[in-house]
Amino acid sequence: MVNVLVLGANGQLARNTTRWFLQRTDARLTLYLRRASRLCNPDPARTRIVEGDVLDSATLERAMKGQDVVYANLAGPMKRQAECIIEAMRATGTKRLIFISSMGIYGEVPGERYRSVLDPYRDSAALIEASDLNYTILRPGWFTSDDEVAYQLTQKGESFRGHDVSLNSLSDLIVKLALTPGMESRRSLGISRG
Ligand SMILES: NC(=O)c1ccc[n+]([C@@H]2O[C@H](COP(=O)([O-])OP(=O)(O)OC[C@H]3O[C@@H](n4cnc5c(N)ncnc54)[C@H](OP(=O)(O)O)[C@@H]3O)[C@@H](O)[C@H]2O)c1
């Protein structure tokens, strides 16, 4: 049974992926978020909720002990967040990181220049890529709430194809990445419906 730490667990994609994990796997989840009273525990038998800020290293390290996979679904000062996550993973010996970023961080979207708004995404991805972690960075297109699971992946160095992607497609891939040892390890993947 895999233990997954979900950072930023009240985020839109994190909530969708929590549901996906609980409906389709036997993974045990730790939902880590600020102001935890906002979240109702969806399955107390295998889910615990921890109140914490990712920038609070002591609380983060405590929550990370015993985890197999860290799934970071964050926004805001992502460079500092990535530093704290990498340090906590080093301190606890945790290796597997799935990190949600954005399309456009390498200038890979034809005809689009996302400039400084993506700097936190670029900087956090660069730190993760320079670490020795077993990471997968996901660079999604715009989220949609379509039910369908349909997506194509592009590797770093390839042009991004497509424009948007359903939350369910992202959750489907995140769950597969969390449960499949070695899948897309040390890769940064563009994901869109195509
Ligand atoms: N929406 C799109 O179309 C799209 C497309 C490509 C990429 N993305 C990116 O994909 C990522 C995930 O998207 P989303 O829609 O799930 O984002 P979201 O709903 O904004 O969730 C991000 C979560 O990060 C949490 N967070 C921020 N700083 C934190 C900290 N220091 N400690 C703990 N939690 C913290 C926030 O918590 P609080 O609730 O406490 O503020 C929030 O719940 C985002 O970075 C987004 O920009 C989105």
Side-chain angles (χ1 to χ4, degrees):
M1 204 183 288
V2 174
N3 293 303
V4 182
L5 175 61
V6 183
L7 301 178
N10 201 40
Q12 177 186 208
L13 174 58
R15 282 184 277 113
N16 199 73
T17 305
T18 294
R19 181 174 55 81
W20 210 264
F21 268 117
L22 293 174
Q23 287 175 350
R24 290 169 173 77
T25 78
D26 64 357
R28 282 196 293 247
L29 305 180
T30 301
L31 305 179
Y32 188 98
L33 72 158
R34 303 185 286 199
R35 292 192 288 127
S37 60
R38 288 178 293 172
L39 204 60
C40 198
N41 191 327
D43 184 349
R46 59 193 178 109
T47 304
R48 74 183 172 119
I49 295 181
V50 173
E51 179 162 296
D53 190 309
V54 165
L55 302 179
D56 172 355
S57 298
T59 307
L60 183 63
E61 264 183 44
R62 266 198 307 279
M64 210 177 276
K65 286 199 181 107
Q67 304 288 349
D68 304 300
V69 178
V70 177
Y71 153 42
N73 193 106
L74 297 165
M78 293 175 77
K79 181 180 181 195
R80 184 79 195 106
Q81 292 167 359
E83 284 168 349
C84 291
I85 293 167
I86 292 167
E87 177 52 26
M89 291 184 76
R90 191 200 57 73
T92 55
T94 316
K95 285 288 181 196
R96 184 71 174 120
L97 173 64
I98 300 165
F99 189 90
I100 307 304
S101 182
S102 173
M103 65 176 164
I105 62 172
Y106 308 118
E108 79 279 21
V109 181
E112 296 279 2
R113 291 195 192 283
Y114 291 104
R115 298 184 194 280
S116 60
V117 68
L118 285 187
D119 283 349
Y121 294 82
R122 289 189 187 96
D123 294 346
S124 51
L127 283 173
I128 292 164
E129 289 169 322
S131 76
D132 66 354
L133 293 172
N134 169 6
Y135 68 82
T136 305
I137 295 168
L138 293 186
R139 293 177 278 113
W142 297 110
F143 300 173
T144 73
S145 47
D146 299 348
D147 279 342
E148 63 167 11
V149 172
Y151 56 88
Q152 62 171 335
L153 302 177
T154 45
Q155 296 289 342
K156 183 175 179 181
E158 291 183 305
S159 291
F160 191 89
R161 290 192 290 272
H163 182 260
D164 53 36
V165 63
S166 70
L167 288 162
N168 284 352
S169 296
L170 286 161
S171 297
D172 188 74
L173 178 60
I174 292 162
V175 166
K176 286 190 176 117
L177 290 167
L179 268 61
T180 314
M183 182 176 172
E184 301 287 3
S185 179
R186 297 189 65 77
R187 298 264 174 84
S188 172
L189 304 175
I191 171 167
S192 72
R193 190 177 48 178

